[in-house]
């Protein structure tokens, strides 16, 4: 992809580089109340978390994992490239919690297996 991308696309990629980041959340249950952290690879531009912020639970972490939606959209132009991965499609973008970025509000979260009919 890097060999086929134009200068504007390359500049956009530089703005959306991956970086390891922490996300703090609260774990409750069984009479306990703990602050926990999950490390994830996020985008330096799109995956911003305000310093000192804490999510109410793991499933509430609504920060994008890398590749972010902008990088996925940029890569979509190269879907015919042998190095393109189908999991990079924009509709499969994920939050740190595992929830799809474009998931419908009516979809059950966390998902249940097997799905109900």
């Amino acid at each position: 992809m890097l060999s086929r991308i134009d200068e504007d696309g390359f500049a956009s990629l530089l703005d959306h580089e991956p970086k390891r980041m922490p996300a703090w959340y609260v774990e409750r249950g069984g009479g306990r109340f703990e602050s926990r952290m999950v490390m994830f690879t996020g985008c330096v531009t799109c995956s911003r978390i305000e310093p000192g912020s804490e999510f109410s639970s793991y499933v509430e972490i609504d920060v994008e994992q890398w590749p972010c939606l902008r990088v996925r959209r940029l890569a979509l132009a190269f879907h015919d490239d042998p190095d393109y991965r189908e999991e990079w499609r924009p509709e499969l973008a994920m939050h740190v919690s595992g929830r799809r970025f474009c998931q419908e509000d009516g979809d059950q979260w966390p998902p249940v297996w097997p799905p109900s009919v």
Side-chain angles (χ1 to χ4, degrees):
M1 186 169 105
L2 289 176
S3 63
R4 295 176 59 189
I5 202 165
D6 62 11
E7 286 184 28
D8 291 336
F10 188 73
S12 183
L13 274 180
L14 290 178
D15 290 338
H16 296 274
E17 289 185 344
K19 178 183 175 185
R20 292 291 291 164
M21 303 176 177
W24 290 91
Y25 65 97
V26 175
E27 182 72 31
R28 296 179 181 96
R32 70 178 197 271
F33 185 91
E34 301 173 355
S35 288
R36 293 195 177 175
M37 178 189 65
V38 61
M39 292 295 292
F40 69 100
T41 301
C43 168
V44 295
T45 302
C46 301
S47 303
R48 295 183 181 245
I49 300 174
E50 293 296 319
S53 62
E54 189 171 60
F55 295 93
S56 60
S57 72
Y58 180 79
V59 296
E60 297 297 321
I61 300 175
D62 61 354
V63 179
E64 269 187 282
Q65 289 190 40
W66 197 90
C68 64
L69 203 52
R70 290 187 180 179
V71 171
R72 289 168 181 270
R73 286 182 181 147
L74 184 64
L76 194 56
F78 305 100
H79 70 279
D80 60 337
D81 192 285
D83 290 330
Y84 183 81
R85 299 180 190 166
E86 283 301 311
E87 64 267 19
W88 290 351
R89 297 189 74 73
E91 62 270 19
L92 299 178
M94 301 284 270
H95 291 290
V96 174
S97 64
R99 183 181 178 117
R100 288 193 325 263
F101 189 74
C102 301
Q103 187 169 0
E104 298 295 324
D105 288 336
D107 292 350
Q108 183 172 355
W109 185 254
V112 175
W113 189 258
S116 58
V117 182

